[in-house]
Amino acid sequence: MAAKQPPPLMKKHSQTDLVSRLKTRKILGVGGEDDDGEVHRSKISQVLGNEIKFAVREPLGLRVWQFLSAVLFSSVAIMALALPDQLYDAVFDGAEVTSKTPIRLYGGALLSISLIMWNALYTAEKVIIRWTLLTEACYFGVQSLVVTATLAETGLMSLGTLLLLASRLLFVLVSIYYYYQVGRKPKKV
């Protein structure tokens, strides 16, 4: 006697069955408003809470400073790559350029740093923002030391060079200020 074959199993597709989905969401307690008026899309967001509460409190003007830094790094990098003679002449008035290669290498390095600055502009992570600000402060500090040492060797002092040094020291101070402000512990409310 031949065994009778059972009917094929019918699978229930709960993702397409709206009634089943609504029942599941009601049992989990998601989808509706809670006591605070927030609508949670999942049980995880309901348990963890609203992520806006945990967002980084940025100091006033931080994003503007990051944007200006990225523009500054990019423009100096492009100038060093495309017009090395003019950049050298702008920094060291009247000095002759012996080789364009070091200035172009400098431009390539600055272009790499500017890409990091542009990417840091779009992040909300404190660690990344702090590292880019620290990189910027170190760069400007080292650049101030190098320009000062070069001026001491050559003996060429001009108003443009002094303005460059003063602006670099100001950039160091602003970057360090934002570095510490981003790293501060938030005040308890």
Side-chain angles (χ1 to χ4, degrees), residues 64-119:
V64 173
W65 176 251
Q66 286 181 306
F67 177 75
L68 290 175
S69 297
V71 168
L72 176 77
F73 274 79
S74 299
S75 59
V76 173
I78 291 169
M79 188 172 177
L81 289 169
L83 308 165
D85 294 328
Q86 285 79 1
L87 180 66
Y88 192 83
D89 188 43
V91 175
F92 304 107
D93 288 331
E96 287 295 316
V97 178
T98 56
S99 176
K100 294 180 183 180
T101 304
I103 299 169
R104 287 197 170 124
L105 287 172
Y106 167 73
L110 273 186
L111 192 61
S112 300
I113 294 174
S114 74
L115 292 175
I116 294 169
M117 297 292 173
W118 283 112
N119 285 326

Coordinates of all heavy atoms in Angstrom, one line a residue, residues 64-119:
V64 N 32.7 76.1 11.5 CA 33.2 77.2 10.7 C 34.8 77.2 10.7 O 35.4 77.3 9.6 CB 32.8 78.6 11.2 CG1 33.4 79.7 10.5 CG2 31.3 78.7 11.1
W65 N 35.4 76.9 11.8 CA 36.8 76.8 11.9 C 37.3 75.6 11.1 O 38.3 75.7 10.4 CB 37.3 76.7 13.4 CG 38.8 76.4 13.5 CD1 39.4 75.3 13.8 CD2 39.8 77.4 13.2 NE1 40.8 75.5 13.8 CE2 41.0 76.8 13.4 CE3 39.8 78.7 12.7 CZ2 42.2 77.4 13.2 CZ3 41.0 79.3 12.5 CH2 42.2 78.7 12.8
Q66 N 36.6 74.5 11.2 CA 37.0 73.3 10.4 C 36.9 73.6 8.9 O 37.8 73.2 8.1 CB 36.1 72.1 10.7 CG 36.5 71.5 12.0 CD 35.6 70.3 12.3 OE1 34.4 70.4 12.3 NE2 36.2 69.2 12.6
F67 N 35.9 74.3 8.5 CA 35.7 74.7 7.1 C 36.8 75.6 6.6 O 37.4 75.4 5.6 CB 34.3 75.3 6.8 CG 34.1 75.8 5.4 CD1 33.9 74.9 4.4 CD2 34.2 77.1 5.1 CE1 33.7 75.3 3.1 CE2 34.0 77.6 3.8 CZ 33.7 76.6 2.8
L68 N 37.1 76.6 7.4 CA 38.2 77.6 7.0 C 39.5 76.9 7.0 O 40.3 77.2 6.1 CB 38.2 78.7 8.0 CG 37.0 79.7 8.0 CD1 37.2 80.8 9.1 CD2 37.0 80.4 6.6
S69 N 39.8 76.0 7.9 CA 41.0 75.2 7.9 C 41.1 74.4 6.6 O 42.2 74.3 6.0 CB 41.1 74.3 9.1 OG 41.2 75.1 10.3
A70 N 40.1 73.7 6.3 CA 40.1 72.9 5.1 C 40.3 73.7 3.8 O 41.1 73.3 2.9 CB 38.8 72.1 5.0
V71 N 39.7 74.9 3.7 CA 39.9 75.7 2.6 C 41.3 76.3 2.6 O 41.9 76.3 1.5 CB 38.9 76.9 2.6 CG1 39.2 78.0 1.6 CG2 37.5 76.4 2.4
L72 N 41.8 76.7 3.7 CA 43.2 77.2 3.8 C 44.2 76.1 3.4 O 45.1 76.4 2.5 CB 43.5 77.6 5.2 CG 44.9 78.1 5.5 CD1 45.1 79.5 4.9 CD2 45.3 78.1 6.9
F73 N 44.1 74.9 3.9 CA 45.0 73.8 3.5 C 44.9 73.5 2.0 O 45.9 73.3 1.4 CB 44.7 72.6 4.4 CG 45.4 72.5 5.7 CD1 44.9 73.3 6.8 CD2 46.6 71.8 5.9 CE1 45.5 73.2 8.0 CE2 47.2 71.8 7.1 CZ 46.7 72.5 8.2
S74 N 43.7 73.4 1.5 CA 43.5 73.1 0.1 C 44.1 74.2 -0.8 O 44.8 73.9 -1.8 CB 42.0 72.9 -0.2 OG 41.5 71.9 0.5
S75 N 43.8 75.4 -0.5 CA 44.3 76.5 -1.4 C 45.8 76.6 -1.3 O 46.5 76.8 -2.4 CB 43.7 77.8 -1.0 OG 43.9 78.2 0.4
V76 N 46.5 76.5 -0.2 CA 47.9 76.6 -0.1 C 48.5 75.3 -0.8 O 49.5 75.4 -1.5 CB 48.4 76.7 1.4 CG1 49.9 76.5 1.4 CG2 48.0 78.0 2.0
A77 N 47.9 74.2 -0.7 CA 48.4 73.0 -1.4 C 48.3 73.1 -2.9 O 49.3 72.8 -3.6 CB 47.5 71.8 -0.9
I78 N 47.2 73.7 -3.4 CA 47.1 73.8 -4.8 C 48.1 74.9 -5.3 O 48.7 74.7 -6.4 CB 45.6 74.2 -5.2 CG1 44.7 73.0 -5.0 CG2 45.5 74.7 -6.6 CD1 43.2 73.3 -5.0
M79 N 48.3 75.9 -4.5 CA 49.3 77.0 -4.9 C 50.7 76.4 -4.9 O 51.5 76.7 -5.8 CB 49.2 78.2 -4.0 CG 50.0 79.3 -4.4 SD 49.7 80.7 -3.4 CE 50.8 81.9 -4.1
A80 N 51.0 75.5 -3.9 CA 52.3 74.9 -3.9 C 52.5 74.0 -5.0 O 53.7 73.8 -5.6 CB 52.5 74.2 -2.6
L81 N 51.5 73.3 -5.4 CA 51.6 72.3 -6.6 C 51.7 73.0 -7.9 O 52.5 72.7 -8.8 CB 50.5 71.3 -6.6 CG 50.5 70.3 -5.4 CD1 49.1 69.6 -5.4 CD2 51.6 69.3 -5.6
A82 N 50.9 74.1 -8.1 CA 50.8 74.7 -9.4 C 51.7 75.9 -9.5 O 52.3 76.1 -10.6 CB 49.3 75.2 -9.6
L83 N 51.9 76.7 -8.5 CA 52.7 77.9 -8.6 C 53.8 77.9 -7.4 O 53.7 78.8 -6.5 CB 51.8 79.1 -8.4 CG 50.6 79.2 -9.4 CD1 49.6 80.2 -9.0 CD2 51.1 79.4 -10.8
P84 N 54.8 77.0 -7.5 CA 55.7 77.0 -6.4 C 56.6 78.2 -6.2 O 56.9 78.6 -5.1 CB 56.6 75.7 -6.7 CG 56.4 75.5 -8.1 CD 55.0 76.0 -8.5
D85 N 56.9 78.9 -7.4 CA 57.7 80.1 -7.3 C 57.0 81.2 -6.6 O 57.6 81.9 -5.7 CB 58.1 80.6 -8.7 CG 59.0 79.6 -9.5 OD1 59.8 78.9 -8.8 OD2 58.9 79.5 -10.7
Q86 N 55.7 81.4 -6.9 CA 55.0 82.5 -6.3 C 54.7 82.2 -4.8 O 54.8 83.2 -4.0 CB 53.6 82.7 -7.0 CG 53.7 83.3 -8.3 CD 54.1 82.3 -9.4 OE1 54.4 81.2 -9.2 NE2 54.3 82.9 -10.6
L87 N 54.5 81.0 -4.4 CA 54.4 80.7 -3.0 C 55.6 81.0 -2.2 O 55.6 81.6 -1.1 CB 53.9 79.2 -2.8 CG 53.7 78.8 -1.3 CD1 52.5 79.5 -0.7 CD2 53.5 77.3 -1.2
Y88 N 56.8 80.6 -2.7 CA 58.0 80.8 -2.1 C 58.3 82.3 -2.0 O 58.8 82.8 -1.0 CB 59.2 80.1 -2.8 CG 60.5 80.0 -2.1 CD1 60.7 79.0 -1.1 CD2 61.5 80.9 -2.3 CE1 61.8 78.9 -0.4 CE2 62.7 80.9 -1.6 CZ 62.8 79.9 -0.6 OH 64.0 79.8 0.1
D89 N 58.0 83.0 -3.0 CA 58.3 84.4 -3.1 C 57.3 85.2 -2.0 O 57.7 86.1 -1.4 CB 58.0 85.0 -4.5 CG 58.5 86.4 -4.6 OD1 59.5 86.8 -4.0 OD2 57.7 87.2 -5.2
A90 N 56.1 84.6 -1.9 CA 55.2 85.3 -0.9 C 55.7 85.1 0.5 O 55.5 85.9 1.4 CB 53.8 84.7 -1.1
V91 N 56.3 83.9 0.8 CA 56.8 83.7 2.2 C 58.1 84.3 2.4 O 58.3 85.0 3.4 CB 56.9 82.1 2.4 CG1 57.4 81.9 3.8 CG2 55.5 81.5 2.3
F92 N 59.1 84.1 1.5 CA 60.4 84.7 1.7 C 60.6 85.7 0.6 O 61.0 85.4 -0.5 CB 61.5 83.6 1.6 CG 61.2 82.5 2.6 CD1 60.7 81.2 2.2 CD2 61.5 82.7 3.9 CE1 60.5 80.2 3.1 CE2 61.2 81.6 4.8 CZ 60.8 80.4 4.4
D93 N 60.4 87.0 0.9 CA 60.5 88.0 -0.1 C 61.9 88.1 -0.7 O 62.9 88.2 0.0 CB 60.1 89.4 0.5 CG 58.6 89.5 0.8 OD1 57.9 88.9 0.1 OD2 58.3 90.2 1.7
G94 N 62.0 88.1 -2.0 CA 63.2 88.3 -2.7 C 64.2 87.1 -2.8 O 65.2 87.2 -3.5
A95 N 63.9 86.0 -2.1 CA 64.8 84.9 -2.1 C 64.5 84.1 -3.4 O 63.4 84.0 -3.9 CB 64.6 84.0 -0.9
E96 N 65.6 83.5 -4.0 CA 65.5 82.7 -5.2 C 65.1 81.3 -4.9 O 65.7 80.7 -3.9 CB 66.8 82.8 -6.0 CG 67.0 84.1 -6.7 CD 66.0 84.4 -7.7 OE1 65.7 83.5 -8.5 OE2 65.5 85.6 -7.8
V97 N 64.3 80.7 -5.7 CA 64.0 79.3 -5.6 C 65.0 78.5 -6.3 O 65.3 78.7 -7.5 CB 62.6 79.0 -6.2 CG1 62.2 77.5 -6.1 CG2 61.5 79.8 -5.5
T98 N 65.7 77.6 -5.6 CA 66.7 76.7 -6.2 C 66.1 75.5 -6.8 O 66.6 75.0 -7.9 CB 67.8 76.3 -5.2 OG1 67.1 75.7 -4.1 CG2 68.5 77.5 -4.7
S99 N 65.1 74.9 -6.2 CA 64.4 73.8 -6.8 C 62.9 73.8 -6.4 O 62.5 74.2 -5.3 CB 65.0 72.5 -6.2 OG 64.3 71.3 -6.6
K100 N 62.1 73.4 -7.4 CA 60.6 73.4 -7.2 C 60.1 72.1 -6.5 O 59.0 72.1 -6.0 CB 59.9 73.7 -8.5 CG 60.2 75.0 -9.1 CD 59.5 75.2 -10.4 CE 59.8 76.5 -11.0 NZ 59.1 76.7 -12.3
T101 N 61.0 71.1 -6.6 CA 60.5 69.8 -6.1 C 60.1 69.8 -4.6 O 59.1 69.3 -4.3 CB 61.6 68.7 -6.4 OG1 61.9 68.7 -7.8 CG2 61.1 67.3 -6.0
P102 N 60.9 70.4 -3.7 CA 60.5 70.4 -2.3 C 59.2 71.1 -2.1 O 58.4 70.7 -1.2 CB 61.7 71.0 -1.6 CG 62.8 71.0 -2.5 CD 62.3 70.9 -3.9
I103 N 59.0 72.2 -2.8 CA 57.8 73.0 -2.6 C 56.6 72.2 -3.1 O 55.5 72.2 -2.5 CB 57.9 74.3 -3.3 CG1 59.1 75.1 -2.8 CG2 56.6 75.1 -3.2 CD1 59.4 76.3 -3.5
R104 N 56.8 71.4 -4.2 CA 55.7 70.6 -4.7 C 55.4 69.4 -3.8 O 54.3 69.0 -3.6 CB 56.0 70.1 -6.1 CG 55.8 71.3 -7.1 CD 55.7 70.8 -8.5 NE 55.4 71.9 -9.4 CZ 56.1 72.3 -10.4 NH1 57.2 71.7 -10.8 NH2 55.7 73.3 -11.2
L105 N 56.4 68.8 -3.2 CA 56.2 67.8 -2.2 C 55.5 68.3 -1.0 O 54.6 67.6 -0.4 CB 57.6 67.2 -1.8 CG 58.3 66.3 -2.8 CD1 59.7 65.9 -2.3 CD2 57.5 65.1 -3.1
Y106 N 55.8 69.5 -0.6 CA 55.1 70.2 0.5 C 53.6 70.3 0.1 O 52.7 70.1 0.9 CB 55.8 71.5 0.7 CG 55.0 72.5 1.6 CD1 54.8 72.3 3.0 CD2 54.4 73.6 1.1 CE1 54.2 73.2 3.8 CE2 53.7 74.5 1.9 CZ 53.6 74.3 3.2 OH 52.9 75.2 4.0
G107 N 53.3 70.7 -1.1 CA 52.0 70.9 -1.6 C 51.2 69.5 -1.6 O 50.1 69.5 -1.2
G108 N 51.9 68.4 -2.0 CA 51.3 67.1 -1.9 C 50.9 66.7 -0.5 O 49.9 66.1 -0.2
A109 N 51.8 67.0 0.4 CA 51.6 66.7 1.8 C 50.4 67.5 2.4 O 49.5 67.0 3.1 CB 52.8 66.9 2.7
L110 N 50.4 68.8 2.0 CA 49.3 69.6 2.4 C 47.9 69.2 1.8 O 46.9 69.3 2.5 CB 49.5 71.1 2.1 CG 50.3 71.9 3.0 CD1 50.4 73.4 2.5 CD2 49.8 71.8 4.4
L111 N 48.0 68.7 0.6 CA 46.8 68.2 0.0 C 46.2 67.0 0.7 O 45.0 66.9 0.9 CB 47.0 67.9 -1.5 CG 45.8 67.7 -2.4 CD1 44.9 68.9 -2.4 CD2 46.2 67.3 -3.8
S112 N 47.1 66.1 1.2 CA 46.7 65.0 1.9 C 46.1 65.4 3.2 O 45.0 64.8 3.6 CB 47.9 64.1 2.2 OG 48.5 63.6 1.0
I113 N 46.7 66.3 3.9 CA 46.1 66.8 5.2 C 44.8 67.5 4.9 O 43.8 67.4 5.7 CB 47.1 67.8 5.9 CG1 48.3 67.0 6.3 CG2 46.5 68.4 7.1 CD1 49.4 67.9 6.9
S114 N 44.7 68.2 3.8 CA 43.4 68.9 3.5 C 42.3 67.9 3.3 O 41.1 68.2 3.7 CB 43.5 69.8 2.3 OG 43.6 69.1 1.1
L115 N 42.6 66.7 2.7 CA 41.5 65.7 2.5 C 41.0 65.2 3.9 O 39.9 65.0 4.1 CB 42.1 64.6 1.7 CG 42.4 64.9 0.2 CD1 43.0 63.7 -0.5 CD2 41.1 65.3 -0.5
I116 N 42.0 65.1 4.8 CA 41.6 64.7 6.2 C 40.7 65.7 6.8 O 39.7 65.4 7.5 CB 42.8 64.4 7.0 CG1 43.6 63.2 6.5 CG2 42.4 64.2 8.5 CD1 44.9 63.0 7.1
M117 N 41.1 67.0 6.6 CA 40.3 68.1 7.1 C 38.9 68.1 6.5 O 37.9 68.4 7.3 CB 41.0 69.5 6.9 CG 42.3 69.6 7.5 SD 42.1 69.7 9.3 CE 43.8 69.7 9.7
W118 N 38.8 67.9 5.2 CA 37.4 67.9 4.6 C 36.6 66.8 5.1 O 35.4 66.9 5.4 CB 37.5 67.8 3.1 CG 37.9 69.1 2.4 CD1 39.1 69.4 1.8 CD2 37.2 70.3 2.4 NE1 39.1 70.7 1.3 CE2 37.9 71.3 1.7 CE3 35.9 70.7 2.8 CZ2 37.5 72.5 1.4 CZ3 35.4 71.9 2.6 CH2 36.2 72.9 1.9
N119 N 37.2 65.6 5.3 CA 36.4 64.5 5.9 C 36.0 64.7 7.3 O 34.9 64.2 7.7 CB 37.2 63.2 5.7 CG 37.2 62.7 4.3 OD1 36.2 62.9 3.6 ND2 38.3 62.1 3.8

